[in-house]
Amino acid sequence: MNIETKLAQAGNRQDPLTGAVSLPIHHATTFAHPAFGQSTGFDYTRTLNPTRKVLEETIADLENGKRGFAFASGMAAIACLVELFDPGDHLISTNDLYGGTYRLFEQILRRKGIETSYVDSTDLSQVKAAVQPNTKAIFIETPTNPTMKITDIAGCVSIAAEHGLLTIVDNTFMTPYFQRPLDLGADIVLHSGTKYLGGHNDVLCGLLAVKDEKLGERLFFLQNSIGAVLGPQDSWLMIRGMKTLALRMEKHQENAAKVAAWLATHPAVTTVYFPGLDGAPGKSVHDQQCTGAGGMLSFEVEHESMIEPILANLKMITFAESLGGVESLMTYPAKQTHFDIPKEVREAYGVTDRLLRFSVGIEHADDIIHDLAQALQAAKSEVAAK
Ligand SMILES: *Cc1c(COP(=O)(O)O)cnc(C)c1O
């Protein structure tokens, strides 16, 4: 089945009793045992809930995996999967990592004796050089957040295979609609479902998918033991959102391409990061492992002093954290998503005080560009007047 069909059909045919086309929401925390020593397959909701189970099967299917797991947030999913590692273990990651993941790795894992090396993973020789005798996994995002750096997933997988490491890919930006890391040999794919998969800025969720049964059993044990599972109402909201993922991603991408092209010619904009632009670094690798450029872009303006007036003058686009919803959102990484990363560290890989990240929504592209144009113009005038 094609992914559009899998998405639209998610949650259908799950209730033979009524034929309900919309997935029933099972709020029950516990389920009656038919008899002594018997179970319906559902005993207690932390372990398995009928609504969450459908979401978990759906993400596994979309990523071409065997097992899927749903958590209360993307961070809960990451916090669960890092329990695969022990004190003394070592991880390799991208230096341009999601701020919350960096915070977890540096302020929580490191305290427990699990160290992470950050490398420019666009350069596979750096990944290779970072492997130590105690390395257990390569954890990447591609494209990265917010400078859209591209890492060769299959290249990381082959380094991992040589050294017996797991390859873990945060696929939040691309979603399985554009990129399926398990098909490229990755072991674990993870999502902040809060973003494109949910798609409406109304549900917090984390998802994991794996294809190996043994790894799946281990994650199932950890998920149930730690307990940060997604509730049934939120599981339903996720399925509800995911049904339109294909349509939304196409529109996000179409708009992002138009906005990126427009920004690239704007005199106040010095750099545009978007993997769909001609000549974007890593574009050939991206095009090989991915069927689209997605809806995220970042851009740098001439002067830091323009940032505040741009954000203040946006009328339709919302100044807010997060990404991947139908509404256009503008983020200032230096003060928001990447605030926990030391200034010298983030500036070294491009997250400067002049950088804005833009989650391009599904509004009409002309309205998005019009809003950006007037905000940039107003900012230029305000700065010039000072
Ligand atoms: C948002 C995000 C996360 C964290 O997910 P939450 O749902 O906010 O906990 C992890 N990785 C990436 C790339 C993200 O954008």
Side-chain angles (χ1 to χ4, degrees):
M1 238 189 256
N2 291 294
I3 193 160
E4 292 86 347
T5 313
K6 289 181 181 179
L7 288 162
Q9 288 291 329
N12 194 5
R13 292 188 184 75
Q14 295 296 326
D15 188 14
L17 198 64
T18 65
V21 170
S22 171
L23 177 69
I25 306 171
H26 290 274
H27 278 288
T29 54
T30 189
F31 301 86
H33 304 300
F36 188 78
Q38 286 183 18
S39 164
T40 59
F42 299 97
D43 301 308
Y44 186 61
T45 269
R46 171 160 34 73
T47 314
L48 200 60
N49 168 279
T51 311
R52 192 180 83 229
K53 177 171 178 272
V54 174
L55 171 63
E56 295 179 328
E57 289 168 353
T58 301
I59 192 62
D61 191 30
L62 294 173
E63 291 284 5
N64 290 332
K66 293 245 164 57
R67 299 285 296 270
F69 305 94
F71 299 85
S73 68
M75 289 320 302
I78 301 171
C80 181
L81 85 84
V82 297
E83 291 297 331
L84 292 167
F85 309 113
D86 296 314
D89 286 352
H90 171 254
L91 312 175
I92 298 169
S93 194
T94 318
N95 55 15
D96 190 10
L97 196 63
Y98 173 71
T101 309
Y102 178 83
R103 181 174 56 203
L104 176 82
F105 285 2
E106 287 309 292
Q107 298 186 28
I108 299 177
L109 279 200
R110 191 170 288 277
R111 239 183 47 225
K112 296 192 194 173
I114 300 170
E115 292 198 357
T116 307
S117 299
Y118 303 90
V119 300
D120 176 357
S121 58
T122 61
D123 175 4
L124 289 177
S125 71
Q126 291 196 26
V127 177
K128 213 170 178 141
V131 178
Q132 304 176 6
N134 59 340
T135 304
K136 290 292 155 61
I138 301 172
F139 184 111
I140 55 169
E141 280 172 35
T142 181
T144 56
N145 172 14
T147 56
M148 312 305 274
K149 294 199 181 79
I150 309 299
T151 295
D152 180 344
I153 298 173
C156 286
V157 166
S158 74
I159 295 169
E162 232 173 275
H163 300 276
L165 319 177
L166 292 175
T167 306
I168 303 164
V169 181
D170 183 333
N171 202 25
T172 300
F173 270 35
M174 285 297 110
T175 81
Y177 181 70
F178 284 136
Q179 177 168 276
R180 290 189 284 280
L182 299 183
D183 287 352
L184 301 167
D187 300 286
I188 303 176
V189 55
L190 80 93
H191 289 278
S192 169
T194 314
K195 315 295 169 55
Y196 286 108
L197 288 169
H200 296 75
N201 290 320
D202 58 8
V203 55
L204 195 64
C205 164
L207 297 165
L208 298 179
V210 300
K211 54 181 188 256
D212 180 72
E213 285 290 356
K214 242 177 88 182
L215 186 56
E217 267 313 299
R218 183 70 191 152
L219 285 170
F220 177 64
F221 167 84
L222 291 170
Q223 181 196 35
N224 182 44
S225 302
I226 297 167
V229 296
L230 193 68
Q233 186 81 34
D234 289 346
S235 298
W236 183 88
L237 272 170
M238 283 301 301
I239 293 270
R240 159 71 174 252
M242 285 159 71
K243 284 174 172 286
T244 56
L245 183 72
L247 291 172
R248 287 188 283 107
M249 292 314 288
E250 290 292 347
K251 184 67 177 174
H252 282 298
Q253 160 163 273
E254 184 191 316
N255 282 353
K258 287 181 184 165
V259 172
W262 180 82
L263 283 169
T265 63
H266 196 286
V269 174
T270 54
T271 319
V272 180
Y273 299 99
F274 178 62
L277 278 180
D278 281 342
K283 188 170 192 313
S284 62
V285 174
H286 184 77
D287 290 347
Q288 224 165 19
Q289 64 190 11
C290 202
T291 56
M296 292 300 300
L297 60 86
S298 297
F299 62 98
E300 239 179 5
V301 291
E302 278 178 307
H303 303 291
E304 186 192 338
S305 57
M306 290 177 69
I307 297 287
E308 202 176 324
I310 289 172
L311 295 171
N313 281 288
L314 290 172
K315 294 193 165 69
M316 184 274 287
I317 299 161
T318 305
F319 169 40
E321 284 192 40
S322 202
L323 61 105
V326 293
E327 303 90 356
S328 285
L329 299 182
M330 188 77 78
T331 306
Y332 184 38
K335 290 276 147 60
Q336 295 178 297
T337 51
H338 288 62
F339 187 70
D340 284 305
I341 301 177
K343 187 175 158 95
E344 326 75 76
V345 176
R346 65 175 163 79
E347 292 214 322
Y349 55 77
V351 186
T352 66
D353 293 333
R354 294 185 290 126
L355 187 79
L356 286 168
R357 188 187 74 183
F358 189 26
S359 173
V360 184
I362 65 166
E363 303 92 350
H364 198 292
D366 292 351
D367 294 329
I368 300 172
I369 290 171
H370 180 260
D371 198 24
L372 284 172
Q374 65 79 24
L376 280 162
Q377 183 54 46
K380 271 206 96 143
S381 317
E382 277 183 41
V383 170
K386 264 182 202 162

